[in-house]
Amino acid sequence: MILHCVFVRFKSAATTSEKQAIYEAISALKDVIPGIVEVKCGQNVSSEGLNGGFLDGFIIKLESIEARDEYLAHPQHIDVGERLIGLTDGGAAGLLVFDMAE
């Protein structure tokens, strides 16, 4: 299993409804991209203060590295990713991606 962890620094102007819509679009990828086992999205609830401004995020559990690679290349992932980047502070710099084997 691969945990594809993405932490997001949304623009201050991003609304709650825009965030919810992007989370719904990310979650919907499970229904169209093979190999996705689970999707979780939400806000950072840590009290440590070590988030570096990344206050939101999501984790996608995938069956394998190959499934992760297919997910990354899938056109619907690319479309949702472009929408997400449009909502982040600094474009791609507003994202932190960390993949971990489980």
Side-chain angles (χ1 to χ4, degrees):
M1 295 286 179
I2 298 293
L3 298 177
H4 178 67
C5 309
V6 180
F7 306 106
V8 183
R9 194 170 44 225
F10 282 111
K11 293 177 183 176
S12 59
T15 66
T16 301
S17 62
E18 288 174 317
K19 292 178 187 181
Q20 185 60 36
I22 199 69
Y23 286 151
E24 289 172 6
I26 292 164
S27 296
L29 294 174
K30 184 177 185 292
D31 298 328
V32 295
I33 301 177
I36 296 177
V37 175
E38 183 178 25
V39 179
K40 297 209 180 235
C41 304
Q43 292 183 315
N44 181 349
V45 296
S46 174
S47 61
E48 293 180 288
L50 300 174
N51 57 50
F54 293 92
L55 302 178
D56 294 88
F58 57 94
I59 299 173
I60 299 177
K61 184 185 278 191
L62 296 125
E63 293 175 347
S64 64
I65 288 177
E66 295 80 15
R68 189 270 324 264
D69 293 346
E70 290 175 22
Y71 157 81
L72 293 175
H74 196 283
Q76 284 186 268
H77 164 261
I78 293 168
D79 289 344
V80 171
E82 288 173 358
R83 285 179 50 202
L84 177 61
I85 286 173
L87 292 171
T88 62
D89 184 20
L95 297 174
L96 175 64
V97 178
F98 185 90
D99 289 353
M100 180 172 54
E102 184 179 55

